[in-house]
Amino acid sequence: MFPCDFAWGAATAAYQIEGGWQADGKGPSIWDTFCHEGGRVWGEQTGDVSCNSYELWEKDLACIRRLGLTHYRLSLSWARLLPDGTTEHVNQKGVQYYNKVIDDLLACDVSPMVTLYHFDLPQALQNHGGWKVPAIASIFDSYACFCFQTFGDRVKLWITINEPYVCAKLGHEDGIHAPGLKEPGTTAYLVGHNMLRAHAMAWHSYDSLYRPTQGGAVSLAINSDWLEPLHPDSADDIAASHRCFAFTLGWFAWPLFVTGDYPETMRAAIDAQSRKLGYNCESRLPTFSKHEPPVLGTADFFALNYYTSRKVKARLECRQGMSMKNDRDAEEVLDPEWSICGVSWLAVVPCGLRRLLKYIKDTFHDPVVYITESGFSQVGPLVMEDAQRADFYKDTIQEVEKAIGEDGVNVRGYFAWSLLDNFEWADGFSSRFGLFHVDFADTGKKRTIYRSGLEYAKTKVYDNSGQSKCRGHQTDGHPPRVPPFAVIIPVMTA
Ligand code: GBH
């Protein structure tokens, strides 16, 4: 049984759906630049037009209503609101656009969850060093305050930054996301650090300036696979899976929920590798300054993006170069039993979500959890009768139900990724995650519901008897604040 006020949502992100990349005074973002450079994205595709949600928002609203969602997670395009990234210049057309989206949602009784940053940094800020530069944190804080001030009377669920891991690693270590930097073993740690600082500053601003009147909740969305040792009896594999957790989930969740600092496992691994390389200066993993607002306790709920699982084994040979992979020093493998859907990285493992939720409950002091993304992709020929994806959602939602009912995890919401087929970053439009298909060849960008969308609309609200799954459990609709935790330091177990 799901609680009555459980949030049933779907998610999108500005660059992936909006298009209108130059419309009405929007400034360029790093994804505009990255796509236009060429050679970066599948088929040289771009998000210039995509689903054209900038002009066709009403069509998205119709999709949201068709699914019967209680919540919709969208992201704001920073450069649409503030073309050069700073509050010196506000683009009123951008403000009007998001005001209309938010007002329309509320008029339909759909609560918005708003992400401030989903990979699309204003290019003007990248020109000054982007997330590498410490000053980005206070610039982000000003942007966040602008958004709280402008939209916070109506928006009660905020995500500051989506997946800092992806932004840091894919954008600055692997170079496969914007800004396309390949600076392995150093920059990603710096970028992750500045994102945490930026998040913490914004949270403190919200807490002192806006929460008293607006009463909402703020978090940061963390992506993590479920990880377990390949050989459960191997001490090396167990240690390797702890390291993997430390380098993904732990990297951000430890500072926010546990110690205010990075997992010791992570720093120890990085520093050990530095010593091997004969590099004896300060740690490549930055340290939080005592003179800045603390990071610990700056997440009012746990926002989790879960897609897949991995088995982890210790690496046999020891590699020398400077990279996050070498620091982490573990190998991730797929279980041959898992089916792969669409994209190669997405092994379908719904039970991994339940295990991860239990792990989060045990490790991070039983936080309120929102699953802010969970989804399944289709590649190759278009299949509207996508039974596999429909099963995936059914199975995954069952696992969430067990996590709540049997494991007592405080899950308050589930957001399917994604409402629409959209621009899937480096994969362009080749990978389709939507509950609605979008015909990108059509100028009207026609949206058509998939079988999985029809099923999601049903399973999320009704049980087999066709009765609403409600149970008496009413709150004011907002998650309670999660107090900061300074005392208990749990041991990381996989
Ligand atoms: C989410 O990230 C994003 O938030 C969302 O924008 C995106 O559309 C969605 O995933 C679907 O991809 O290419 O082998 O290097 C999910 C976490 C982590 C999953 C990085 C893909 C890349 C594997 N992602 N991972 S690889």
Side-chain angles (χ1 to χ4, degrees):
M1 294 279 271
F2 284 94
C4 223
D5 58 351
F6 193 80
W8 288 107
T12 58
Y15 187 74
Q16 295 181 273
I17 65 163
E18 282 180 5
W21 78 283
Q22 284 184 305
D24 294 340
K26 175 185 166 292
S29 82
I30 55 173
W31 269 94
D32 293 315
T33 309
F34 189 72
C35 294
H36 294 154
E37 256 164 29
R40 302 293 203 170
V41 176
W42 189 87
E44 304 296 327
Q45 292 173 332
T46 73
D48 290 1
V49 183
S50 192
C51 310
N52 198 11
S53 294
Y54 185 64
E55 290 182 345
L56 303 176
W57 151 247
E58 271 98 353
K59 292 195 179 189
D60 297 355
L61 184 62
C63 296
I64 292 164
R65 302 191 70 182
R66 176 72 189 79
L67 295 178
L69 303 180
T70 65
H71 286 64
Y72 177 57
R73 176 175 177 234
L74 68 144
S75 87
L76 307 180
S77 160
W78 187 343
R80 192 180 295 291
L81 289 165
L82 309 178
D84 70 3
T86 75
T87 47
E88 302 254 316
H89 308 282
V90 175
N91 177 22
Q92 287 305 332
K93 292 279 185 154
V95 174
Q96 276 168 27
Y97 173 66
Y98 294 117
N99 270 335
K100 175 159 170 52
V101 169
I102 292 164
D103 290 343
D104 287 354
L105 286 169
L106 292 173
C108 296
D109 216 12
V110 177
S111 304
M113 175 186 271
V114 171
T115 303
L116 298 177
Y117 184 75
H118 198 123
F119 305 168
D120 51 350
L121 193 73
Q123 182 60 44
L125 298 178
Q126 188 63 43
N127 297 345
H128 290 103
W131 289 108
K132 279 166 86 164
V133 182
I136 192 73
S138 58
I139 296 172
F140 179 80
D141 181 37
S142 303
Y143 163 57
C145 287
F146 169 80
C147 295
F148 298 147
Q149 179 77 45
T150 310
F151 307 114
D153 55 335
R154 290 152 292 153
V155 175
K156 302 302 165 188
L157 288 168
W158 294 98
I159 301 292
T160 54
I161 295 174
N162 182 67
E163 299 183 349
Y165 173 91
V166 170
C167 194
K169 169 115 181 341
L170 278 62
H172 301 80
E173 167 106 6
D174 305 334
I176 58 176
H177 273 200
L181 300 181
K182 276 190 197 155
E183 301 174 353
T186 50
T187 304
Y189 300 130
L190 202 58
V191 163
H193 191 69
N194 287 330
M195 290 190 140
L196 277 167
R197 292 176 53 246
H199 161 81
M201 278 189 199
W203 183 91
H204 283 283
S205 294
Y206 188 82
D207 196 48
S208 56
L209 303 173
Y210 301 97
R211 195 196 304 279
T213 51
Q214 298 183 353
V218 180
S219 191
L220 174 155
I222 300 179
N223 62 292
S224 182
D225 299 346
W226 167 248
L227 304 167
E228 50 186 67
L230 179 63
H231 303 103
D233 300 330
S234 152
D236 287 345
D237 289 1
I238 292 171
S241 72
H242 286 186
R243 275 199 306 283
C244 277
F245 258 129
F247 275 82
T248 49
L249 184 74
W251 184 2
F252 301 98
W254 231 250
L256 292 168
F257 291 94
V258 187
T259 58
D261 198 355
Y262 299 109
E264 273 172 37
T265 333
M266 183 182 188
R267 188 178 298 281
I270 292 170
D271 293 351
Q273 183 69 6
S274 285
R275 281 193 298 275
K276 264 195 226 161
L277 296 169
Y279 175 93
N280 281 320
C281 312
E282 58 189 309
S283 176
R284 284 178 284 130
L285 189 64
T287 312
F288 292 101
S289 161
K290 292 197 172 50
H291 307 293
E292 289 198 347
V295 178
L296 183 64
T298 63
D300 298 321
F301 55 93
F302 201 108
L304 173 70
N305 293 357
Y306 171 80
Y307 284 87
T308 190
S309 295
R310 293 287 184 268
K311 302 265 170 147
V312 183
K313 61 175 185 176
R315 277 167 129 199
L316 292 178
E317 79 258 51
C318 149
R319 276 163 242 195
Q320 281 296 321
M322 182 133 77
S323 71
M324 193 183 288
K325 198 167 179 202
N326 286 349
D327 291 339
R328 192 188 66 176
D329 198 24
E331 211 78 68
E332 291 183 345
V333 294
L334 294 169
D335 186 323
E337 307 248 298
W338 295 337
S339 60
I340 302 291
C341 83
V343 278
S344 60
W345 56 268
L346 217 170
V348 183
V349 196
C351 66
L353 177 55
R354 178 179 175 188
R355 292 181 192 167
L356 185 57
L357 288 168
K358 177 75 164 72
Y359 173 82
I360 287 170
K361 173 188 155 92
D362 295 344
T363 312
F364 304 115
H365 317 285
D366 197 9
V368 164
V369 181
Y370 281 84
I371 297 157
T372 38
E373 286 180 28
S374 159
F376 180 109
S377 88
Q378 187 182 90
V379 298
L382 176 64
V383 182
M384 294 306 297
E385 289 297 317
D386 56 343
Q388 266 188 308
R389 176 156 43 200
D391 286 348
F392 160 83
Y393 277 116
K394 192 172 89 266
D395 296 346
T396 302
I397 288 166
Q398 258 168 27
E399 294 295 331
V400 176
E401 193 168 12
K402 284 187 232 160
I404 298 172
E406 293 174 36
D407 305 334
V409 185
N410 200 352
V411 186
R412 297 285 182 87
Y414 178 87
F415 291 76
W417 182 272
S418 176
L419 181 68
L420 305 172
D421 286 347
N422 61 45
F423 179 80
E424 178 51 22
W425 309 116
D427 291 338
F429 299 101
S430 69
S431 174
R432 297 181 296 270
F433 272 92
L435 292 166
F436 283 80
H437 174 62
V438 177
D439 182 357
F440 294 104
D442 167 34
T443 46
K445 309 293 169 190
K446 189 171 192 307
R447 283 96 160 119
T448 310
I449 195 162
Y450 284 102
R451 165 64 45 194
S452 58
L454 292 166
E455 296 295 323
Y456 184 64
K458 282 192 251 163
T459 50
K460 71 188 189 0
V461 186
Y462 298 106
D463 64 21
N464 295 336
S465 64
Q467 294 298 302
S468 174
K469 283 185 173 181
C470 282
R471 134 183 115 185
H473 173 119
Q474 294 290 347
T475 69
D476 61 0
H478 309 312
R481 281 201 46 202
V482 180
F485 304 101
V487 196
I488 318 157
I489 300 174
V491 179
M492 203 172 212
T493 49

